[in-house]
Amino acid sequence: MKPDQAEFFAAQGYLRLDAFHPKSRMAAIRRSVLDEMKRLSARVGLTKSLRQLPFFQQIGKFSALVNVPGLHDALATPELIEFISRLGGQALTPSQGTQLLLSPPNQGDWTLNGLNWHVDVTADPPHRLAGIQAFFLIDDVAPHGGATLALAGSHRLDPSGPGSASALRKLLKTSDDPARDLHGSGVSIIEMSGRAGDICLMDMRLLHTPSINASKHPRMMATCRCFPRA
């Protein structure tokens, strides 16, 4: 790991690792996902029932239906966990395995409005690293293709100040132009799109959200959360 990677992660709360996993490994996982999706497509009424759900619920339902044996071992390798621990400055271990993040294609027009910005864990105290989450790109994911969004720098906000995470959530929920209204706030929206084999590491204190897949291809990602050892 390069020193500037640790510095960037500390400041922004995320780090991209381009082509961390070989394309051959991701291609095998992609084939397994596609085979499962083909099997599911034969289920009468499934596609229609998915489309009737809110888009972020479509992701949870769709992902839970697909099973890929060996997914965790293929993605959360010892090499990656060692890198994550060094990045976090302490021993971190994966919890709850690796979960698929799948979005059906053509969910609608891409937008920043009405998204579910949240954090998965609360840091106590707020300045302490609560964990690092890895997002794996199983297939290429184009911009506006359903990749997770995160608010870079939001882990450094004063929890009780006017620019707190709570205040930002309210702004993001009510604004008709979030990108405009975030200007000058010290935070920025990043989209975890990229190429198969890329990984995006995220400080779990960052606000983040699912996004709409406006592309004609299913979004294929997976995620693993790593926490400090007790």
Side-chain angles (χ1 to χ4, degrees), residues 68-114:
V68 177
L71 182 70
H72 180 74
D73 290 342
L75 297 179
T77 60
E79 179 186 9
L80 176 63
I81 302 307
E82 179 185 0
F83 184 96
I84 288 174
S85 295
R86 291 170 61 195
L87 190 65
Q90 59 187 300
L92 297 168
T93 55
S95 176
Q96 301 176 345
T98 296
Q99 302 168 319
L100 286 168
L101 295 174
L102 307 176
S103 303
N106 303 311
Q107 287 187 305
D109 294 333
W110 197 88
T111 179
L112 289 172
N113 298 329

Side-chain angles (χ1 to χ4, degrees), residues 25-125:
R25 182 181 304 164
M26 308 315 289
I29 296 172
R30 179 179 178 272
R31 284 194 298 271
S32 295
V33 172
L34 288 173
D35 287 346
E36 277 285 277
M37 290 169 58
K38 183 178 180 181
R39 179 184 63 81
L40 291 170
S41 67
R43 290 175 53 176
V44 177
L46 177 62
T47 301
K48 183 178 180 180
S49 65
L50 275 175
R51 292 294 183 186
Q52 292 173 343
L53 296 172
F55 80 89
F56 54 87
Q57 291 185 22
Q58 292 179 27
I59 296 169
K61 179 69 172 179
F62 194 31
S63 302
L65 290 171
V66 175
N67 179 45
V68 177
L71 182 70
H72 180 74
D73 290 342
L75 297 179
T77 60
E79 179 186 9
L80 176 63
I81 302 307
E82 179 185 0
F83 184 96
I84 288 174
S85 295
R86 291 170 61 195
L87 190 65
Q90 59 187 300
L92 297 168
T93 55
S95 176
Q96 301 176 345
T98 296
Q99 302 168 319
L100 286 168
L101 295 174
L102 307 176
S103 303
N106 303 311
Q107 287 187 305
D109 294 333
W110 197 88
T111 179
L112 289 172
N113 298 329
L115 301 181
N116 181 30
W117 292 94
H118 65 283
V119 292
D120 293 324
V121 296
T122 301
D124 185 19

Side-chain angles (χ1 to χ4, degrees), residues 207-229:
L207 284 165
H208 60 286
T209 180
S211 72
I212 295 171
N213 183 4
S215 78
K216 61 183 180 180
H217 304 289
R219 187 268 301 233
M220 298 186 197
M221 295 177 66
T223 189
C224 175
R225 299 174 178 89
C226 297
F227 297 98
R229 294 178 183 173

Side-chain angles (χ1 to χ4, degrees), residues 2 8 16-18 34 37 47 61 63 76 94 111 129 139 147 166-167 192 198 217:
K2 300 176 182 178
F8 183 88
R16 291 183 181 274
L17 302 177
D18 294 334
L34 288 173
M37 290 169 58
T47 301
K61 179 69 172 179
S63 302
T111 179
L129 179 72
D139 195 7
S166 177
M192 298 182 194
D198 295 351
H217 304 289

Side-chain angles (χ1 to χ4, degrees), residues 147-197:
T148 301
L149 307 178
L151 208 57
S154 57
H155 63 311
R156 297 182 282 103
L157 299 173
D158 181 351
S160 60
S164 67
S166 177
L168 276 180
R169 276 198 301 268
K170 183 176 180 180
L171 180 150
L172 289 163
K173 185 176 181 180
T174 59
S175 173
D176 61 355
D177 191 343
R180 176 200 65 204
D181 292 340
L182 285 173
H183 183 72
S185 66
V187 300
S188 58
I189 297 173
I190 62 163
E191 186 175 6
M192 298 182 194
S193 54
R195 300 283 189 179

